[in-house]
Every structure is written in structure tokens, then in C-alpha cells.
Amino acid sequence: MSDTTIRTYSSDRQQNENESESEVEVESSDERLSCPECGGRVVNDEEHGESICADCGLVIEEDSIDRGPEWRAFNSTEKDNKSRVGAPTTNMMHDKGLSTNIGWQDKDAYGNSLSSSQRQKMQRLRKWNERFRTRNSKERNLKQALGEIERMASALGLPKEVRETASVIYRRALSEDLLPGRSIEGVATSALYAAARQMQTPRSIDEVANVSRIDAMEFKRTYRYIVRELGLEVAPADPASYVPRFASELDLPDEVERRARELLDNAKEDGVTSGKSPVGLAAAAIYASSLLTNHKVTQSEVSEVTDVSEVTIRNRYQELLEATEVAA
């Protein structure tokens, strides 16, 4: 028998064996999918961990292993937060948190200290890993800006949602090539200020400028440019949104805060708030409401917390009281 005949015979035999194995698999899968009593269709009840016949109701298998997660997620954000296959992605990191960091602790998996040669090796690996994480100027720019946003947000006590929004705004500015001619710190500060306004947790221009590395004039100019070019919808700051924070810092009760909101509502209806600084109005409302509710604080104390001059507080204080008298 020639070599060609042997090879043909072997290939035919192998093909026949594969076909017979596939037929056995199909038959076994059909058996699993059909009821042994009536031949009906078998369905899996994952809630109760059972396999039952859809026709006669026979329980074919019970106490099956649930290989899914023990938690439920109702949207994509919850799914990312509850996943156990890594940290959730975030816009607050230049690579969205998808890269790997090498820890600074020079210890192995058992907590033992590394030798000097191993420490030098890990230091070289950290250096190259950091270089690979920021492979071009755009990523280096984004990394520096997001670090600046994180620093300022921590100093201002802004929540995570504001930081995420600020990161998205900065990414948009970078992708639309708005940075040439402007500093990274200026655009980062403007993005954070706009995000705080959008998320209804505003901070005054002076507060943001105090924690920024740029002067107030450059900050205002860059902010106007970013809002105009990106078409951001930033509503005018509501003076009432500053009241809870000021009242908390002055250790005033809820009664003062509630009365301050009433004063601001009356002033808004009377048109007094138009064209006025929202921070100054909030400071005056806090001062006026503290006097009306017998929880007196001095103008200097309110001025120190709100960073508003005592002259401004006195002027706005009179306007708020006049608006309240008109409303009454």
C-alpha cells in the first residue's frame, strides 16, 4: 500500500471519528434540552436554580450553581462600580485607570523586603512604566491638568461628580485644540469652576483663584473663552446655593438657613438680585437671618467666612430687608 493511500485512509478514518463524536454531542445536548418524561422543552429557572420542563412542569435538576454575581446593577455606572475584575474606569485619570501601577513598597508578595539588586530593578521598572503611560505630549498634558484639577478640588472640598465633570470638560478642550496660547493651569481652573457651577455646588471666583496657580485676571479670561468655544450651558449662580455652606461654617442652626432662603426668594421676586454678586447676597442673607432669628453673628465673622467685605454685607443687608417689607 502506497504512502498516499495510507494518508488518505487515515484522514477518512479521522473524519468519520469526528463526525461520530459530533453526533454523540448533538444527541446528548438534545437529551439535556428535552424532558425525559414527555420530551418537552427544558428551560432554566435561574432565580430558583432549577431546570424544569416547560410542558409538564417536571423538575429535572435543582440546586444548580449560580455562576453570576451576587449583586444587581441597574445601570452601566453601577455595573462598573460593583465589578470585581478591576477598578472602574474614571475620567479623572489620563488613561481612565486602565493601566497598571507598580507600587512604591519594595516588598514581595509575602511582605518581605527586597534585596538591593531587586530594589534597583523595580525602580527601573517604575521609571519605564511611567514613561510608557505617557507616551506623547498630549497624554503628558492631560496627566498634569487632571492632577491640577484633583488638587484644587480637594482644597475646595468639591465632590467626585464635580471632578469627573471638570475632567470631561478639560478633555473636550484638549480634543478641540483650545489650549495653544493658554496655560494648562488656566484651562484646568476654568474647567473646574464651570463644572462646579453646572453641578449646583458653586464656589466663588475668589475662592477658586486662591487655590489656583494663576492670577484672577487670566482665570476669568480663560473661563469666558472655554465657555464660549465649548458652548457650555452654565446658569447664573443661585445665591441660595451658597447659604448651606456658609451657615455650616458659621455653626448656625437650620432655622437661620431657612430664613435666609426666604429672604433671597423675596429679593428675587422683587428683582433685587439682578446684577448683584451671588456670594454677597448669600452673605447678607445669612447676616440678616441670624439677626431676625436671635442667633446673632457679627459682620466681621460673616465677612471672614464668606470673603465678602463688611460694606457689601451692610448694603445688601438693607436691600434684602426692604424687599422683605415690600413682600409682606
Side-chain angles (χ1 to χ4, degrees), residues 178 180-183 185-191 193 205 209 212 214-230:
L178 301 182
R182 288 161 186 84
S183 65
E185 291 82 3
V187 179
T189 305
S190 303
Y193 179 70
I205 292 178
S212 177
I214 59 173
D215 59 83
M217 189 61 68
E218 181 185 352
F219 163 41
K220 296 175 185 177
R221 185 170 58 249
T222 306
Y223 170 71
R224 288 193 295 267
Y225 174 75
I226 292 297
V227 171
R228 183 177 64 252
E229 294 297 322
L230 294 180

Side-chain angles (χ1 to χ4, degrees), residues 148-164:
E148 190 71 8
I149 289 174
E150 183 70 20
R151 181 189 66 80
M152 291 186 293
S154 297
L156 293 169
L158 292 171
K160 180 181 177 182
E161 292 76 13
V162 176
R163 306 179 193 198
E164 287 272 3

Side-chain angles (χ1 to χ4, degrees), residues 23-143:
E23 290 176 358
V24 171
E25 290 178 357
V26 170
E27 290 177 359
S28 60
S29 63
D30 290 341
E31 290 178 359
R32 287 196 303 268
L33 295 176
S34 60
C35 176
E37 293 290 335
C38 65
R41 184 171 57 90
V42 176
V43 295
N44 293 323
D45 185 357
E46 296 181 356
E47 182 178 355
H48 299 90
E50 297 174 344
S51 296
I52 60 176
C53 176
D55 296 332
C56 66
L58 176 68
V59 178
I60 300 169
E61 184 181 358
E62 60 181 352
D63 297 332
S64 59
I65 299 175
D66 184 4
R67 302 185 184 277
E70 75 278 12
W71 43 262
R72 293 188 300 171
F74 300 98
N75 53 47
S76 58
T77 304
E78 287 189 9
K79 185 176 181 181
D80 289 340
N81 291 335
K82 294 181 178 181
S83 175
R84 292 188 175 84
V85 292
T89 58
T90 174
N91 285 305
M92 294 188 292
M93 299 180 68
H94 72 283
D95 52 10
K96 297 191 176 181
L98 297 175
S99 61
T100 301
N101 292 326
I102 300 177
W104 55 269
Q105 300 93 341
D106 289 324
K107 294 182 179 181
D108 59 13
Y110 300 99
N112 300 322
S113 298
L114 300 177
S115 62
S116 59
S117 60
Q118 287 290 333
R119 285 198 299 270
Q120 293 176 0
K121 179 180 178 181
M122 295 306 298
Q123 185 62 30
R124 289 194 301 270
L125 288 174
R126 289 192 195 97
K127 184 184 296 183
W128 280 105
N129 181 61
E130 193 65 23
R131 291 175 179 174
F132 281 125
R133 288 184 64 194
T134 54
R135 289 170 290 183
N136 52 47
S137 60
K138 197 170 185 178
E139 290 187 358
R140 286 192 295 272
N141 180 312
L142 191 58
K143 181 181 178 182

Side-chain angles (χ1 to χ4, degrees), residues 220-269:
K220 296 175 185 177
R221 185 170 58 249
T222 306
Y223 170 71
R224 288 193 295 267
Y225 174 75
I226 292 297
V227 171
R228 183 177 64 252
E229 294 297 322
L230 294 180
L232 299 178
E233 296 181 359
V234 181
D238 185 6
S241 60
Y242 294 92
V243 169
R245 181 160 56 94
F246 293 160
S248 176
E249 292 179 6
L250 289 167
D251 197 21
L252 293 172
D254 295 339
E255 183 184 3
V256 175
E257 181 181 336
R258 184 169 57 254
R259 191 62 184 273
R261 290 179 180 274
E262 293 176 0
L263 293 174
L264 291 172
D265 290 339
N266 294 333
K268 188 175 182 180
E269 292 177 359

